């Protein structure tokens, strides 16, 4: 039995310029996230694009519709460069869109000199957990806590 996930015919690319189309699509995708709080504006997307530590990647299907997104944050610490992969959302699960986004995010992380990458997947996102496991992500040995600011 094969454990490979099906690959979607998607094109993954980094967003380099904000647009109404991208902001609207990200807003629709963000509604799938547990911590969704607002629809991003074009200015919000441009702020992400302009931040040298943050990379926004999207997946488009054959019809050029945006069907997935992921944010890659690269940051430097005294112990090395780290990558944080978050705000992963796909329009249709089980089609390899998340995997294609994650593969590109890991390429960006390696290119940026990251020693490791953390992928944020909520326990309720069973498809995301399966994909992460198949790609080699394991449980983190650190106990992460979050505070709302």
């Amino acid at each position: 039995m094969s454990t490979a996930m099906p690959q979607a015919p998607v094109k993954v690319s980094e967003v380099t310029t904000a647009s109404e189309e991208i902001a609207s699509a990200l807003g629709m995708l963000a509604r799938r996230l547990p911590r969704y709080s607002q629809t991003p504006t074009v200015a919000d997307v441009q702020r992400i694009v302009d931040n040298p530590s943050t990379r926004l990647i999207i997946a488009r299907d054959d019809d050029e519709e945006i069907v997935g997104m992921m944010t890659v944050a690269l940051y430097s610490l005294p112990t090395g460069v780290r990558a944080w992969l978050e705000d992963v959302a796909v329009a249709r699960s089980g089609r390899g869109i998340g995997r294609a986004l994650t593969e590109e995010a890991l390429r960006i992380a390696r290119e940026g000199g990251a020693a490791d990458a953390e992928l944020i997947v909520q326990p309720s996102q069973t498809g995301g957990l399966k994909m992460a496991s198949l790609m080699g992500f394991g449980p983190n040995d650190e106990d992460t806590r979050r505070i709302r600011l």
Side-chain angles (χ1 to χ4, degrees), residues 13-90:
S13 62
E14 183 177 350
V15 176
T16 57
T17 304
S19 69
E20 189 60 47
E21 176 217 13
I22 291 171
S24 177
L26 297 185
M28 295 297 288
L29 289 165
R31 288 185 180 96
R32 297 174 158 271
L33 299 172
R35 290 189 319 268
Y36 170 75
S37 62
Q38 66 184 32
T39 298
T41 65
V42 174
D44 293 331
V45 175
Q46 192 62 51
R47 195 170 20 262
I48 295 166
V49 169
D50 290 343
N51 185 331
S53 297
T54 308
R55 311 280 283 276
L56 176 61
I57 55 177
I58 57 171
R60 291 182 183 267
D61 65 12
D62 286 339
D63 296 325
E64 292 298 314
E65 179 185 352
I66 297 172
V67 294
M69 71 173 188
M70 179 182 281
T71 307
V72 182
L74 294 169
Y75 57 100
S76 296
L77 301 169
T79 56
V81 177
R82 302 287 187 265
W84 191 268
L85 317 180
E86 194 164 357
D87 281 358
V88 183
V90 298

Side-chain angles (χ1 to χ4, degrees), residues 112-128:
D116 55 33
E118 302 237 359
L119 173 64
I120 307 306
V121 183
Q122 300 298 317
S124 62
Q125 297 173 309
T126 56

Side-chain angles (χ1 to χ4, degrees), residues 101-124:
L101 287 163
T102 304
E103 287 172 348
E104 176 62 9
L106 293 174
R107 186 196 67 73
I108 289 169
R110 282 186 200 98
E111 184 179 274
D116 55 33
E118 302 237 359
L119 173 64
I120 307 306
V121 183
Q122 300 298 317
S124 62

Side-chain angles (χ1 to χ4, degrees), residues 111-149:
E111 184 179 274
D116 55 33
E118 302 237 359
L119 173 64
I120 307 306
V121 183
Q122 300 298 317
S124 62
Q125 297 173 309
T126 56
L129 289 170
K130 179 180 177 184
M131 181 271 307
S133 178
L134 288 171
M135 291 187 72
F137 285 90
N140 191 349
D141 60 354
E142 298 174 15
D143 191 13
T144 304
R145 301 285 188 222
R146 175 170 290 169
I147 186 171
R148 287 265 185 224
L149 302 176

